[in-house]
Amino acid sequence: MPAIARFSKKELIELIETTEAAGNDTTELRSLLAEVEQDEEHIVIGSRPNDDDYVAELRGKSYIEHGTDLECMVCHDKFDQLISGTCEVCFRKWVLSTKKR
Ligand SMILES: [Zn+2]
């Protein structure tokens, strides 16, 4: 089942529940989930073909600062919202530069 690798952990858990509810064997899915939990970061990075999804995901894990005249530490422009100390554009660039392709 190679398609399974593209599921997020949450989707995988849902799939296990659905499969179980249907009375099917979830042994394989459960071992996959264990792998995901063991090396979650790796699986997430390796399984996100979509840049926007990837940025949104890391954005969700980042500290978002709201205010006025906040300075992006990369481009030094002023913004009313910073993600991990950077503006939306710099954050996206940084995220995609760390993405393994
Ligand atoms: Zn910036």
Side-chain angles (χ1 to χ4, degrees), residues 29-63:
L29 292 172
R30 281 183 184 283
S31 68
L32 240 155
L33 180 63
E35 271 176 46
V36 170
E37 279 170 339
Q38 244 174 34
D39 198 359
E40 203 170 355
E41 215 56 33
H42 174 77
I43 302 278
V44 167
I45 287 168
S47 64
R48 288 284 175 173
N50 189 301
D51 284 356
D52 290 333
D53 281 0
Y54 186 70
V55 173
E57 190 167 311
L58 272 166
R59 198 178 186 284
K61 289 180 192 166
S62 301
Y63 174 66

Side-chain angles (χ1 to χ4, degrees), residues 71-77 79 82 85-91:
E71 186 180 320
C72 168
M73 64 182 185
V74 180
C75 66
H76 301 290
D77 276 346
F79 297 90
L82 293 180
T86 64
C87 70
E88 200 85 40
V89 175
C90 296
F91 180 75

